[in-house]
Amino acid sequence: MSAIREIFAEQWQYRELLLRMTMRDLLLRYKQTVMGLGWAIFMPLVNTAIFSVIFTRVASIDVGVAYPVYAFCGLVAWNFFASALRFSVVSLTSNPSLVTKLFFPREIFPFSAVLVSLVDYGVASLVLAALMIYYDIALSWSILLLPVVVAVQVIFTAAIALLLAMGNLFYRDVKYLFEIVISVWMFASSVVYPVGRVGGRLGALLALNPMTHMIDAFRAVLIDGTAPAPAFAATAVVSVVLFIGIWLMFHAAEFEFAENI
């Protein structure tokens, strides 16, 4: 328990550095780009258009609402997760001088990647709101649960970000494996189609995927106007336990980072 208090206290002590690092990464990400933050909405829109053609013209499926809203909602939530991990995985190895020469909590690097992606998440959500207005989807009381859903997603993403950043520092294979795993993971989640309709053993296996429950919860509170399914509560508990466990592991291993970078 004292170790948990220590890492939280240390992170709070260096909160200003985390904010400065986040601002630096945000500026660097969009430096010398014409569209700037527009990239945060461009890719989800392009993917929504592609999957809308596939799932409304080629292999039509009924998702209960206009498919573009369904797909964009899933893609916005997924892109936050995937983008945060993509930048986290190299966050330590791309800053060797800072990791080896200065003393501060090294988890600031992956946490900064998560916060930068959270900004993109917010920008893309504005377009989602516009789509909901266009398709006449009204908000309900369930919108009050949105902060809880997003908080659980941020906690789970931060846990995996810490694990990937640390893993890639010790084994550079991780960044190559990541691109394969993240592609498979997307289609194993309910990003562009309802995974719940997959039956049999494969369906039972896919039901264990925490991202499916988070994306379904995101859609439930925004589009369906309902509370998340009970599986989301279990996902939330698992996410918190995973986050604390991986953070303690990261904290214990960070003294070896300088020797392995």
Side-chain angles (χ1 to χ4, degrees):
M1 205 63 181
S2 61
I4 296 174
R5 280 200 298 269
E6 181 188 334
I7 58 174
F8 275 98
E10 192 176 58
Q11 200 61 44
W12 177 253
Q13 185 183 350
Y14 286 90
R15 62 190 183 282
E16 191 172 336
L17 178 61
L18 174 61
L19 290 176
R20 288 183 181 277
M21 197 78 78
T22 302
M23 288 301 299
R24 183 205 67 165
D25 292 346
L26 190 60
L27 291 172
L28 284 176
R29 181 179 297 192
Y30 296 113
K31 186 180 180 183
Q32 293 183 325
T33 63
V34 175
M35 291 177 61
L37 279 171
W39 285 109
I41 60 173
F42 182 70
M43 290 309 295
L45 280 175
V46 170
N47 288 330
T48 297
I50 293 170
F51 287 113
S52 293
V53 170
I54 294 173
F55 288 113
T56 60
R57 303 295 176 87
V58 180
S60 181
I61 57 171
D62 181 11
V63 292
V65 293
Y67 184 80
V69 181
Y70 178 91
F72 193 80
C73 192
L75 285 164
V76 166
W78 175 260
N79 281 0
F80 159 67
F81 177 67
S83 173
L85 298 188
R86 187 165 283 115
F87 286 98
S88 296
V89 72
V90 294
S91 60
L92 290 173
T93 52
S94 60
N95 290 284
S97 57
L98 292 176
V99 172
T100 56
K101 295 179 181 175
L102 297 177
F103 174 76
F104 60 89
R106 304 298 189 260
E107 52 267 46
I108 279 180
F109 292 108
F111 284 170
S112 169
V114 173
L115 289 178
V116 170
S117 297
L118 193 60
V119 174
D120 290 347
Y121 198 179
V123 173
S125 293
L126 296 176
V127 178
L128 176 60
L131 276 174
M132 290 174 64
I133 293 170
Y134 179 79
Y135 285 101
D136 199 23
I137 299 174
L139 294 176
S140 73
W141 64 269
S142 59
I143 190 68
L144 297 174
L145 298 173
L146 182 61
V148 177
V149 173
V150 174
V152 171
Q153 193 179 355
V154 169
I155 289 170
F156 180 74
T157 303
I160 306 300
L162 285 171
L163 186 64
L164 287 176
M166 180 173 56
N168 188 58
L169 186 137
F170 290 115
Y171 305 100
R172 299 296 197 273
D173 312 69
V174 171
K175 66 181 177 185
Y176 300 109
L177 280 172
F178 166 76
E179 292 299 335
I180 299 171
V181 172
I182 202 71
S183 300
V184 176
W185 198 345
M186 174 180 162
F187 287 101
S189 307
S190 57
V191 179
V192 293
Y193 70 98
V195 166
R197 295 183 187 178
V198 179
R201 292 181 180 176
L202 179 59
L205 184 65
L206 293 177
L208 299 175
N209 180 0
M211 282 307 296
T212 287
H213 303 305
M214 290 186 209
I215 292 171
D216 285 348
F218 189 59
R219 285 199 185 99
V221 299
L222 275 178
I223 298 177
D224 302 335
T226 61
F232 176 72
T235 303
V237 173
V238 169
S239 297
V240 171
V241 172
L242 198 65
F243 176 64
I244 293 174
I246 293 176
W247 196 355
L248 287 172
M249 192 167 62
F250 185 100
H251 189 68
E254 69 178 336
F255 299 103
E256 301 175 28
F257 287 177
E259 300 170 6
N260 290 278
I261 198 165

